[in-house]
Amino acid sequence: MKRIILFTALTVIFLSAFSQSYNDDFVGTWVYEKNDTVFKIKLQKGHTTYPGTGKSRETLVGGYSLSIKGIIQDDYIRPILDLPTIQYSKLPDYNIFIWGEYSNPKEPNYTAFRFYDMKKKHIFGTGISANSMTLLSPTKLHWKLDEKQGLWWEFEGEIIGDEEEIKRIEEESKPRGFSVPEDVIMTKER
């Protein structure tokens, strides 16, 4: 019995410590360049505390920039506030515009993320999920935004509220596109 308890305890400790390293390969600055468009994202490890639970876990956090014809259109790569934990609902307040779930040990090259498009302001400015990043190699990353799926996840089911609230929600649930590339292969900067 002691062996089972010891084995279980060691397994949990090992998996907890080891599972946090899956985000390491995503950390860094990634760039997509085509013609006169340069799109960058910068990712680092962070911790997110979930409201109501007090639980915290390692996540990917970062920002993005976009320039066209050498003119900066968006620049949301900013220093992330140095806080031990960040409330999920207030991520843009901490200069976090990309928030990635931890990677699954079964799929260490894949992570889902929420994207805060500061021009399009999806879902009342709370960002849109159902997006993915997949490592194709140590220096190649597939960035994919999925507005249709993100809106469906957020607005699935019956809309409840008064007439004004229903109209407001219906307007927010309409696709509006993105201000950055939606499906591209990015290269890691060295």
Side-chain angles (χ1 to χ4, degrees):
M1 184 66 167
K2 287 182 182 179
R3 285 184 182 175
I4 292 173
I5 293 171
L6 180 61
F7 176 75
T8 303
L10 289 174
T11 301
V12 168
I13 291 168
F14 175 76
L15 289 176
S16 295
F18 190 69
S19 68
Q20 294 185 6
S21 68
Y22 288 113
N23 286 329
D24 290 348
D25 294 334
F26 288 93
V27 172
T29 301
W30 299 86
V31 181
Y32 165 76
E33 290 184 64
K34 184 172 183 182
N35 300 328
D36 58 359
T37 300
V38 178
F39 172 55
K40 285 186 181 186
I41 62 171
K42 184 176 180 181
L43 301 171
Q44 66 185 57
K45 289 193 288 186
H47 284 85
T48 301
T49 299
Y50 294 86
T53 66
K55 291 185 179 183
S56 176
R57 70 175 175 194
E58 184 181 280
T59 55
L60 284 171
V61 294
Y64 68 97
S65 69
L66 178 70
S67 65
I68 300 173
K69 296 182 181 179
I71 299 169
I72 295 174
Q73 305 294 311
D74 297 309
D75 187 8
Y76 295 101
I77 296 178
R78 300 179 179 158
I80 293 172
L81 297 180
D82 188 22
L83 299 172
T85 57
I86 298 167
Q87 293 292 325
Y88 169 70
S89 62
K90 298 181 184 239
L91 295 176
D93 294 343
Y94 297 107
N95 295 332
I96 296 173
F97 306 96
I98 300 168
W99 178 82
E101 292 277 4
Y102 65 93
S103 293
N104 181 337
K106 293 179 183 177
E107 296 181 82
N109 295 330
Y110 171 87
T111 191
F113 69 97
R114 179 174 288 268
F115 179 63
Y116 296 82
D117 188 322
M118 299 309 288
K119 278 190 179 170
K120 299 294 183 162
K121 301 279 187 183
H122 293 92
I123 311 172
F124 306 106
T126 63
I128 191 163
S129 58
N131 308 301
S132 65
M133 288 183 276
T134 305
L135 287 170
L136 304 175
S137 75
T139 60
K140 296 288 181 191
L141 175 89
H142 182 198
W143 163 273
K144 185 165 175 39
L145 301 175
D146 190 341
E147 183 179 35
K148 183 178 177 183
Q149 186 69 36
L151 291 171
W152 182 83
W153 279 4
E154 186 69 27
F155 295 110
E156 163 194 25
E158 183 180 359
I159 299 173
I160 299 172
D162 61 23
E163 193 173 314
E164 187 176 308
E165 179 68 9
I166 290 171
K167 283 182 182 177
R168 193 173 145 245
I169 291 171
E170 285 174 345
E171 189 61 34
E172 279 300 306
S173 65
K174 292 179 183 175
R176 57 187 73 178
F178 292 98
S179 65
V180 300
E182 297 176 31
D183 190 351
V184 295
I185 305 298
M186 305 182 86
T187 304
K188 194 169 197 175
E189 273 190 351
R190 296 196 182 251

